[in-house]
Amino acid sequence: RALGLPGGLDSTRALLFGLRAGEVRGRARARIHALSRPGCGTGEGTGGNAAGLGCACGGAFEEIDIREGGTRHFQDINQPPDRQDVTFENVQARYRTMLLMNRANQLRGLVVGTGDLSELALGWNTFGGDHLSHYDVNAGVPKTLVRYLVDWASGQPGFEQARDTLRDVLDTPISPELV
């Protein structure tokens, strides 16, 4: 399994789902490969939460900074990198997804999606970007229930090492962190 783990609420719930699914199937947590792809809008809090969750939950954790690649893409399409418009945001979302899909191919894994029902219903995603996955575990779960499930998991056995990080994720304002 490969999972984009920016350190927000939806990706945290997807990670917890993947860990639990692995336990039910008798698979080691190490089979989960979390990939953080920080960009121009990534905050210190969520970046730290991604690393904390990736390490505390026992899976593999990797970080690929997308700023340089995104800047090259802006040059390719003649987009001034300081023009923070919808193109700016969508380049980041699509670049993150491309890296995640390609890394999953290398690992012979599946991309576990993170978009929730509320985002999908409102169209709050990027076409060709963050709504793409092989298996979207949050697609039928509204944002309010995602929050509840992460809160519930933070009190469950097996997540003691991640408890503080899970609480911090819950306290972080919801944002795609694209700008």
Side-chain angles (χ1 to χ4, degrees):
R1 296 173 198 98
L3 170 75
L5 186 64
L9 191 60
D10 293 331
S11 64
T12 298
R13 194 281 174 169
L15 173 66
L16 296 172
F17 176 91
L19 293 169
R20 181 67 183 129
E23 288 173 9
V24 168
R25 302 245 339 158
R27 304 276 169 92
R29 285 184 168 193
R31 291 187 61 168
I32 300 269
H33 190 95
L35 178 62
S36 175
R37 296 130 318 145
C40 302
T42 303
E44 288 181 32
T46 53
N49 286 344
L53 287 170
C55 295
C57 290
F61 178 75
E62 178 181 7
E63 182 177 285
I64 299 175
D65 192 311
I66 68 163
R67 286 173 272 230
E68 187 177 325
T71 299
R72 276 194 312 273
H73 188 72
F74 292 143
Q75 291 168 351
D76 291 343
I77 64 170
N78 295 316
Q79 167 83 6
D82 59 344
R83 185 188 311 150
Q84 296 184 349
D85 59 3
V86 70
T87 302
F88 178 89
E89 293 178 353
N90 287 336
V91 162
Q92 292 179 90
R94 290 183 181 119
Y95 195 64
R96 286 177 179 168
T97 301
M98 179 190 67
L99 287 171
L100 182 58
M101 288 286 189
N102 290 335
R103 192 68 181 108
N105 290 156
Q106 289 177 324
L107 296 167
R108 299 184 66 192
L110 297 175
V111 172
V112 177
T114 62
D116 65 57
L117 178 63
S118 301
E119 292 173 351
L120 296 170
L122 295 172
W124 194 28
N125 53 30
T126 299
F127 183 77
D130 52 1
H131 78 289
L132 294 176
S133 67
H134 296 110
Y135 186 57
D136 199 345
V137 299
N138 292 338
V141 184
K143 180 77 75 186
T144 52
L145 184 54
V146 170
R147 177 174 290 285
Y148 172 82
L149 292 169
V150 171
D151 185 37
W152 175 82
S154 72
Q156 297 304 303
F159 295 108
E160 293 86 355
Q161 291 182 310
R163 189 157 289 131
D164 290 341
T165 305
L166 291 171
R167 301 299 317 156
D168 195 52
V169 167
L170 289 164
D171 292 339
T172 301
I174 295 169
S175 167
E177 290 195 334
L178 295 173
V179 176

